[in-house]
Amino acid sequence: MPSWDDELIHEYRQSRRGLSKMKSKLNPKNPMDTKDLEHINSMIGDMTEAIDWLETGKDPKVFRGVHVNAVYHVRSYENMDLIPDIERELREDNNINKKHLFMTSKEKMILSEILSSFSNRERRCYLLHVSHKKSFAEIANELGVSRSTVQTHITRAKNKVRQRFQEVG
């Protein structure tokens, strides 16, 4: 007796064959059929992916823990308040209030690469600790995690920073 997943795979394969037959009846040179062809091709691709997933038990678009479309994902900073207002700090410090901050484009690129290499949690913990001078306990309380979790995230982030500077230097 076949299991539910075997039955589902069989149904998907039958539906995919039906879509392929529909596709073969359409004329790719006919402008009226081109939209239908796009939709049918998309449906065939989705069904093939679902069949692969059901057969293997793994997402077919994930290779070595990375999704094939991850290259298109752009990391953004979820909360810009985590990045300190350096200008305010300069105004408060009488010794350097006339000094302007300047980062070369290479330094900006390196900073961006470093921050984007962090997970969201690593980035939040690291910025709260390093730039806002918060203790592990304060960060843990703010994020609702344990102190050791915060320490782990900050250690990982610092290791990534250290590694990046070794590559540059």
Side-chain angles (χ1 to χ4, degrees):
M1 181 171 160
S3 64
W4 66 269
D5 54 341
D6 291 331
E7 290 176 11
L8 191 58
I9 291 170
H10 178 70
E11 289 175 20
Y12 272 48
R13 284 190 175 139
Q14 282 181 327
S15 298
R16 187 174 60 181
R17 277 192 291 276
L19 286 169
S20 295
K21 286 178 186 176
M22 258 193 244
K23 178 182 168 182
S24 65
K25 293 177 185 176
L26 295 174
N27 180 3
K29 294 180 181 175
N30 182 352
M32 299 296 284
D33 289 347
T34 55
K35 262 302 192 216
D36 291 337
L37 278 170
E38 283 180 35
H39 291 296
I40 290 173
N41 283 334
S42 175
M43 290 170 26
I44 290 172
D46 289 344
M47 290 185 128
T48 302
E49 182 181 345
I51 291 167
D52 290 347
W53 201 326
L54 287 166
E55 288 176 336
T56 63
K58 297 185 288 184
D59 185 348
K61 288 190 173 183
V62 173
F63 181 70
R64 292 186 179 174
V66 179
H67 196 278
V68 272
N69 294 338
V71 70
Y72 302 110
H73 297 177
V74 177
R75 275 224 170 133
S76 63
Y77 304 108
E78 61 185 37
N79 186 354
M80 289 305 287
D81 293 338
L82 290 174
I83 299 175
D85 183 2
I86 297 171
E87 186 180 337
R88 185 184 72 227
E89 290 177 15
L90 289 175
R91 276 186 266 128
E92 290 173 1
D93 190 345
N94 293 330
N95 296 331
I96 57 173
N97 63 356
K98 294 184 181 184
K99 183 178 178 183
H100 292 282
L101 289 180
F102 176 75
M103 287 180 74
T104 66
S105 56
K106 183 178 180 182
E107 290 170 333
K108 288 177 186 177
M109 208 160 50
I110 291 170
L111 177 62
S112 176
E113 287 173 8
I114 290 171
L115 289 174
S116 68
S117 72
F118 295 169
S119 70
N120 286 337
R121 186 60 60 87
E122 286 172 348
R123 187 179 315 107
R124 286 190 76 168
C125 291
Y126 182 80
L127 289 173
L128 287 170
H129 180 67
V130 173
S131 62
H132 293 277
K133 310 275 190 263
K134 292 193 176 191
S135 69
F136 292 168
E138 290 172 321
I139 297 168
N141 187 39
E142 185 173 325
L143 299 180
V145 296
S146 71
R147 187 188 167 285
S148 63
T149 299
V150 171
Q151 184 174 3
T152 300
H153 288 304
I154 291 172
T155 302
R156 285 184 191 153
K158 284 182 177 182
N159 287 338
K160 289 178 182 179
V161 171
R162 195 173 303 113
Q163 179 183 356
R164 182 64 175 112
F165 277 111
Q166 287 173 351
E167 292 170 5
V168 172

